[in-house]
Amino acid sequence: MAVRGVTAEFRRGQLTAIIGPNGAGKSTLLRALMGLDAPAGGAVTLAGRPLSAWNRRERASRLAYLAQGEGLPPGTRVRDVVALGRGAGQWRWGLLPPLVLEQEEASAVERAMGRTDVLNFAERRVAELSGGERQRVSLARALAAEPDFLLLDEPTNHLDLGYAAELTEYLRCEAAGGVGVVAVLHDLTLASQADWLLLLHGGRVLVQGTPEEVLTPANLYTAYNLRAEVLRHSGRLIVIPAAGGRGHAP
């Protein structure tokens, strides 16, 4: 779905979650922020300049993108996959040859693997990893570029609850370290751990603000046609669909 009339600011040091029902325009908005789809009107700016004014190399040094369901070369070492984030080589037919990096690039790769806890299996092949481990490798690849902003399209999709919570914590740590993190998320309880939420509905921003401001029964009913309770437990919000799910407005 096309998105229209969206005005939003994404900041470094902030974890922003883009939420909304299927077809609300979440992935479309993310692709526009990355420069993969040019807006028909208005503009996306980065550090005060139109995104279109940045050349491809400049853009790649500031923005990193983790696509939904990103495939990884199964026969390749984890270390070499992460090195792709530095623009080192490309894979074909599922195999990437071992790479030789300059010291600065090798250090960036080591830092990215350390921040995502993949150093202990850096020499293993992708095919030997679990789904959660592969997603951490994909995250390390994106972070190896040392971007200002990290954009992720449904990074917890197909992950079990433990791996999804773990990945969300990595994103929180990256934001705390100064990276601007923007993630499309379906799980509203995980999204409640973000600093800022954009709730999309029908291609427009229904509401944006803190989790407490956005995740209200009234907003959730409007966006999802779903009756839900929003509870606080251990300092975090939990969204629980009410018995019967869809129905009359709260």
Side-chain angles (χ1 to χ4, degrees), residues 71-79 81 93-96 121-135 137:
L72 298 177
T76 300
R77 293 187 314 165
V78 166
R79 183 181 302 277
V81 171
W93 306 296
L95 183 64
L96 179 73
F121 53 84
E123 305 306 320
R124 290 169 61 188
R125 306 290 173 175
V126 168
E128 302 170 3
L129 306 180
S130 69
E133 289 170 335
R134 291 187 188 197
Q135 193 69 330
V137 172

Side-chain angles (χ1 to χ4, degrees), residues 60-163:
S61 69
R62 304 292 293 270
L63 301 173
Y65 178 59
L66 183 54
Q68 183 180 164
E70 177 177 275
L72 298 177
T76 300
R77 293 187 314 165
V78 166
R79 183 181 302 277
D80 292 325
V81 171
V82 177
L84 290 169
R86 301 297 299 179
Q90 59 183 356
W91 69 71
R92 295 181 179 179
W93 306 296
L95 183 64
L96 179 73
L99 301 173
V100 178
L101 303 177
E102 299 293 336
Q103 182 58 47
E104 180 180 350
E105 293 177 331
S107 296
V109 169
E110 290 290 319
R111 286 193 296 271
M113 290 193 294
R115 284 153 59 186
T116 52
D117 294 323
V118 302
L119 275 173
N120 61 327
F121 53 84
E123 305 306 320
R124 290 169 61 188
R125 306 290 173 175
V126 168
E128 302 170 3
L129 306 180
S130 69
E133 289 170 335
R134 291 187 188 197
Q135 193 69 330
R136 280 157 55 191
V137 172
S138 292
L139 178 59
R141 177 202 57 75
L143 293 176
E146 301 189 321
D148 292 335
F149 288 90
L150 174 64
L151 290 77
L152 309 97
D153 193 0
E154 297 187 30
T156 60
N157 197 26
H158 303 307
L159 296 183
D160 65 31
L161 184 60
Y163 277 126

Side-chain angles (χ1 to χ4, degrees), residues 1-4 20-25 199-206 222-223:
M1 172 181 284
V3 291
R4 304 177 300 279
N22 290 337
L199 175 55
L200 298 187
H201 176 59
R204 297 181 181 275
V205 176
L206 177 66
T222 299

Side-chain angles (χ1 to χ4, degrees), residues 5-11 14 16-19 29 195-200 204-215 219:
V6 173
T7 300
E9 180 180 1
F10 303 93
R11 301 176 181 177
Q14 177 175 282
T16 301
I18 301 174
I19 60 174
L29 175 58
D195 303 305
W196 194 258
L197 300 183
L198 263 73
L199 175 55
L200 298 187
R204 297 181 181 275
V205 176
L206 177 66
V207 63
Q208 59 180 304
T210 65
E212 290 79 7
E213 293 168 335
V214 173
L215 295 177
N219 286 338

